[in-house]
Amino acid sequence: MLEDKLLLSVKDLVTAFDTDAGRVTAVDGVSFDLQEGKTLGVVGESGCGKSVTAMSIMQLLPRPMGQIIGGSIHFNGEDLVMASEERMGSIRGKEIGVIFQEPMTALNPVHRIGQQLSESLLLHEGLSKKEAWSRSIEILKLVGIPSPEVRVSEYPHQLSGGMRQRVVIAIALACRPSLVIADEPTTALDVTVQAQILELIQSLQEEMGLSVMMITHDLGVIAETCDDVVVMYAGRVAEKGNTQQIFENPQHLYTLGLLNSIPKLGTPRKQRLNTIDGYVPGLDEMPVGARFAPRSQHPRVAEYLASEDFKTVKPGLVEVEPGHWVEDCAYVRAF
Amino acid sequence: MDTDGGNQRGEILLEVKNLKVHFPVKEGLFSRAKKYCKAVDGIDLQVKAGETFGLVGESGCGKSTLGKAICRLLNPTEGEIRFDGRDVGRLGRAAMRPLRRDLQIIFQDPVESLDARHTVREILEEPFIIQKMGNTVFREKKVRKLLDKVGLAATAADRYPFEFSGGQRQRIGIARAIALEPKLIVCDEPVSALDVSVQSQILNLLMDLQKEMGVSYLFIAHDLAVVKVISDRIGVMYLGKMVEQADADTLFSNPMHEYTKALISAIPIVSPGQKRERTILKGDVPSPIDPPPGCAFARRSPISVSEEVASCPSEYKEVEPGHWVEVHPATVRDYDALEGL
């Protein structure tokens, strides 16, 4: 087995967007580490900042509205926040690959599959067009596309959804990156196709020693594929730890609420499901204090919501068992 | 409970017989259609009063087309749709209008299904205006009541759909659908676009409304765990045909069709370290334009059969009371025992 080597280390990342209504902070002090060869899951609901975190790592934030205003992102020891646009250009696609959610929009409809695969090979590997084309066929074979020699000259619309997602994965892996960021890679797919794609990502990971950052809202996908998990809520880390710790010993009320609210096959029929009351605060009305507190059922939470603490003090994280961290505020902790 | 006679729980409310919806596929601008996309190709199903019939299947299996045809948002090509004793399949637009009070639909995407230029009040009033029911005071009272029923504040009435979150918008969609106290609501993927915590709120709301109003649902979804929670009976569709149908518990405890088994096994388990024996299907769903001859599933089934056997037609049979399965050497494990039934 590989020695634990830190590949990606995000520290106190703050990413903000300038909007008509003023500056909003989408990611507010997020930290996590990803070891070489491991899979890190980032889970949370729409608007929790998980995709913005990924975009920050890739430096693909919409300019000029979006910008990183604090923290560091160390990839292989190099701080990407400080990297020049030129340097990022040589990292993106070469050392870090991305798999996007919607394969139809991630692929260019007017270019052949082979052209899209060749693009990064021509750019980063300095191959000739002919070499890139034959390498494309090899990669398509690797991701399990039948008759790759034919498919390579087809257009995206000629492929099924599952095939397209395999092509997107092929593009992400074309230059043998050490890190792949998968942003909801199976959300747009059917369950049986999802099973195929997850299986593919896992087998490629083993084969190539890839590290994967898996961004998803689906706890089932996390449970099946990830070594470590970061649970995000409203732009902050609510809880993080290894997958076992998060699923078997959830410490944050939000994690617990998420785990309880998904229907499982064993859930009795026609019985009300557990829910999390309330809703996620809007980006422009984020409290400084524990952001989940307004939805907490803690008996004395009202006191906290009225307190000066809630208005001014941002809770940090506390380590509850080795490697298992949770937001340091009694009102949002499981009780 | 109901004003016009009402239906006893358990009475058959909707009966669909051999329903087909075929779309002509044109090649070239002026040529006549030579091929047909057989989106729904001979479906039988029944929904009883007060129950939920869950319809599952993957994209392109025809489940949404079936839902739309039942609401007559699409015209069936062949077959019969009997709703509450009347043959909906053959009614014209004008004749359908009074029926729409009893037959409503909730769509997947609450953003696209609500008119962005109307306030919530206007959206909720519209059904009453179309049905020429009551005056302004009556309608205002109804709007308040509906908002309260779906868990929205009365102040929501003056706001526009874009001011709400996805879950709240779906609540507005539900309020619109229940406005006229229908007997059946076709729910077309009502929670698939929602976050998990919101999804459970909406499922609870639907279950509460059913208890309160005795409404039946035809619940269309691709997420089996969601369908299981809300349904009494479940039908599994594949390429325009029903391949298995049973009460919800039986379908999960004793699935017989290999496709149903594959669907169930594909659901990720929310418990790390626990791995299910997984059936990974080969290839993709074939096109409904030129479906392969014989059993449509045979070429993807984990049970390998020769091309000759695959081309043999399958039979849709009741293998135990209330449990229907597409029986074919490639779809069931104990074909020999079932064939004789």
Side-chain angles (χ1 to χ4, degrees), chain A residues 76-324:
Chain A
N76 260 334
E78 181 182 354
D79 189 354
L80 300 185
V81 177
M82 297 300 163
S84 65
E85 185 46 41
E86 200 187 353
R87 175 72 187 126
M88 276 317 294
S90 67
I91 292 176
R92 254 184 252 129
K94 167 116 180 84
E95 291 172 46
I96 305 179
V98 204
I99 303 170
F100 292 103
Q101 173 178 163
E102 188 30 81
M104 204 54 213
T105 40
L107 294 174
N108 190 331
V110 300
H111 285 163
R112 294 177 197 278
I113 301 299
Q115 278 172 288
Q116 306 193 42
L117 260 164
S118 303
E119 197 183 336
S120 61
L121 294 168
L122 295 173
L123 182 71
H124 295 300
E125 310 269 286
L127 299 184
S128 72
K129 274 196 173 164
K130 213 170 160 193
E131 288 168 328
W133 196 263
S134 59
R135 176 83 79 83
S136 301
I137 297 175
E138 275 169 42
I139 303 166
L140 288 177
K141 195 185 270 169
L142 180 76
V143 296
I145 295 211
S147 42
E149 310 79 12
V150 182
R151 295 298 188 184
V152 74
S153 19
E154 291 191 342
Y155 292 94
H157 73 91
Q158 292 172 286
L159 307 180
S160 69
M163 286 292 169
R164 279 185 216 134
Q165 194 58 302
R166 283 176 193 264
V167 171
V168 174
I169 292 173
I171 292 173
L173 298 179
C175 297
R176 300 192 152 259
S178 46
L179 170 67
V180 167
I181 299 178
D183 191 355
E184 304 267 10
T186 58
T187 307
L189 305 174
D190 282 315
V191 274
T192 58
V193 184
Q194 165 172 295
Q196 294 174 355
I197 296 292
L198 290 179
E199 196 114 318
L200 172 69
I201 294 177
Q202 276 177 304
S203 72
L204 291 173
Q205 181 173 20
E206 269 162 43
E207 221 166 283
M208 306 169 67
L210 273 178
S211 307
V212 178
M213 181 172 157
M214 180 81 76
I215 297 170
T216 175
H217 68 277
D218 189 332
L219 285 164
V221 170
I222 296 271
E224 294 214 344
T225 59
C226 296
D227 302 294
D228 298 293
V229 187
V230 175
V231 182
M232 284 185 70
Y233 181 77
R236 290 182 187 161
V237 173
E239 180 167 8
K240 60 183 179 181
N242 67 40
T243 311
Q244 209 80 11
Q245 289 166 341
I246 298 295
F247 281 82
E248 278 162 24
N249 186 21
Q251 290 292 311
H252 197 285
L253 283 180
Y254 179 62
T255 316
L256 202 62
L258 272 186
L259 284 168
N260 286 336
S261 64
I262 19 174
K264 297 160 201 90
L265 282 183
T267 308
R269 287 198 298 115
K270 296 249 152 182
Q271 245 176 50
R272 300 190 95 242
L273 298 160
N274 293 306
T275 58
I276 307 173
D277 287 338
Y279 54 92
V280 185
L283 279 173
D284 49 349
E285 50 179 30
M286 285 295 180
V288 179
R291 291 179 169 172
F292 190 73
R295 304 176 76 177
S296 163
Q297 303 285 325
H298 190 280
R300 287 192 313 281
V301 73
E303 276 170 49
Y304 172 61
L305 293 178
S307 72
E308 202 52 34
D309 263 14
F310 181 61
K311 290 189 193 83
T312 54
V313 183
K314 176 183 165 183
L317 294 177
V318 56
E319 192 169 24
V320 285
E321 57 183 312
H324 186 180

Side-chain angles (χ1 to χ4, degrees), chain A residues 46 190 192 265 269 272-273, chain B residues 58-59 195 204 208 228 231:
Chain A
S46 341
D190 282 315
T192 58
L265 282 183
R269 287 198 298 115
R272 300 190 95 242
L273 298 160
Chain B
E58 297 182 284
S59 359
D195 273 320
N204 282 349
D208 292 346
K228 190 191 173 194
S231 304

Side-chain angles (χ1 to χ4, degrees), chain B residues 19-23 36-43 60-66 74 77 237-241 288-289 291:
Chain B
L19 186 71
K20 293 185 181 173
V21 185
H22 293 179
F23 299 103
Y36 288 89
C37 170
K38 299 176 177 172
V40 173
D41 199 24
I43 293 278
C61 74
K63 55 191 193 302
S64 292
T65 306
L66 175 60
L74 284 172
T77 312
M237 271 182 83
Y238 184 78
L239 210 67
K241 292 203 165 78
I289 295 175

